[in-house]
Amino acid sequence: MGDRKRYPSDVTDEQWALIGPFLQAWKAKRVSVSGQQGDYDLREIVNAIFYQNRTGCQWAYLPHDLPPKSATYYYFALWRDDGTDQVIHDLLRCQAREKAGRAEDPSAVVLDTQSLRAANHVPAATTGKDAAKKVPGRKRGLAVDALGLIIAVVVTAASVTDNAIGIQLLDKVVAHTPTVTRAWVDAGFKQDMALHGAVLGVDVEIVKRSDTKPGFVPIRKRWIVEQVNGTLMLHRRLAREYEIRPESSVSRTLWASTANIVRRLTGTSTPSWRHQ
């Protein structure tokens, strides 16, 4: 980080001690033919990704004292495509669960979707309109555990049904976390998903909201995923759909979740844009 003034989104020494070893091991395996390993400090690359996630700025508007767009995007895309972002996130998630006294992998998940408006440069081929919410853009599906830690992410056009997204989420959950045997969803997910869950060995329970109580009422078991969506919205880059590729949106979500997990593990916080 050198002598520059730190940003609120920068990783602390304690947080970097959690992320750094994974990236240093990754870097050690990628020595070029000439023996070079890159000119940029990977901690500063992570700081740039966290800064952009938190502030929502465009690539060209990254501060001059952070690595430039060319270097930051190079690593962001590389880690997105080779799965490094997923590996780091999942290993830290296991640490967070162990710290909370849980097993490394969960036995139950909660699923939900969120529709996001797309910016005008996002390709029409990967967007659509949510027929129920009248939102043009994309839809982000999450599967989270009982602690609110993300297990799987799916990003599609907003026109894709919750049921179809739920099936994709279940496939990803079972592929990467086979210990899951139970899933809770809202009424937007239909019986087809429950049948698909049964085939995969996952008991899918539809938890409906109460129509007898007026106003907003948190729903047991389902509420945790709503909390996660709210926390992700503190990262302005996720408050609207800016990414050309849905895969980049998934990576953005994983990095935002990683930032949340390292704060949980170290007992620190990052001021929100509402902070006075």
Side-chain angles (χ1 to χ4, degrees):
M1 200 163 80
D3 298 327
R4 73 168 175 82
K5 185 177 179 180
R6 78 180 303 274
Y7 295 103
S9 57
D10 285 349
V11 294
T12 64
D13 291 343
E14 194 177 4
Q15 291 170 353
W16 181 245
L18 296 171
I19 300 174
F22 302 127
L23 290 181
Q24 294 300 337
W26 173 88
K27 187 176 183 179
K29 297 177 182 178
R30 292 189 59 85
V31 179
S32 68
V33 176
S34 62
Q36 299 297 317
Q37 289 188 317
D39 297 329
Y40 292 98
D41 181 0
L42 294 184
R43 178 171 177 173
E44 284 291 77
I45 296 295
V46 172
N47 283 336
I49 293 173
F50 280 7
Y51 179 93
Q52 190 181 38
N53 252 16
R54 195 77 186 191
T55 64
C57 75
Q58 295 166 285
W59 283 106
Y61 285 81
L62 283 171
H64 294 301
D65 52 1
L66 287 173
K69 166 190 172 180
S70 57
T72 304
Y73 181 76
Y74 170 79
Y75 282 103
F76 171 78
L78 195 59
W79 292 337
R80 174 198 67 201
D81 295 340
D82 71 6
T84 297
D85 52 3
Q86 182 86 55
V87 171
I88 292 173
H89 174 270
D90 290 352
L91 289 172
L92 291 173
R93 184 193 70 218
C94 290
Q95 291 182 33
R97 286 185 56 83
E98 287 184 330
K99 184 179 180 180
R102 304 291 187 108
E104 282 191 3
D105 293 318
S107 60
V109 292
V110 189
L111 277 59
D112 196 19
T113 64
Q114 183 179 34
S115 295
L116 303 166
R117 290 185 178 274
N120 58 6
H121 68 274
V122 178
T126 60
T127 62
K129 188 172 184 178
D130 185 329
K133 299 176 182 176
K134 311 301 181 186
V135 175
R138 288 193 182 136
K139 193 178 286 186
R140 179 169 56 231
L142 296 180
V144 307
D145 66 8
L147 299 178
L149 301 173
I150 294 177
I151 306 301
V153 186
V154 168
V155 176
T156 69
S159 54
V160 177
T161 65
D162 286 0
N163 218 40
I165 293 175
I167 289 173
Q168 292 183 51
L169 281 171
L170 281 181
D171 286 340
K172 292 186 74 169
V173 167
V174 170
H176 297 288
T177 318
T179 54
V180 171
T181 58
R182 191 101 187 243
W184 291 291
V185 299
D186 63 23
F189 297 88
K190 307 303 180 183
Q191 194 62 31
D192 286 349
M193 183 183 167
L195 293 174
H196 187 72
V199 172
L200 298 176
V202 178
D203 180 18
V204 179
E205 179 182 345
I206 298 176
V207 182
K208 298 181 179 180
R209 68 182 298 274
S210 173
D211 293 326
T212 61
K213 297 181 180 179
F216 173 74
V217 180
I219 302 173
R220 184 174 173 268
K221 298 177 181 176
R222 263 179 46 192
W223 172 236
I224 187 66
V225 72
E226 302 293 346
Q227 285 183 308
V228 176
N229 278 325
T231 304
L232 290 178
M233 289 298 99
L234 293 174
H235 297 80
R236 283 187 168 184
R237 190 78 182 192
L238 299 181
R240 192 171 182 182
E241 189 55 59
Y242 294 107
E243 306 302 329
I244 299 297
R245 297 173 55 183
E247 296 89 345
S248 294
S249 296
V250 171
S251 185
R252 288 281 178 197
T253 305
L254 292 174
W255 280 116
S257 181
T258 295
N260 291 339
I261 291 173
V262 293
R263 288 197 293 273
R264 182 183 295 208
L265 287 169
T266 57
T268 54
S269 63
T270 298
S272 73
W273 65 75
R274 301 183 182 92
H275 181 69
Q276 300 296 323

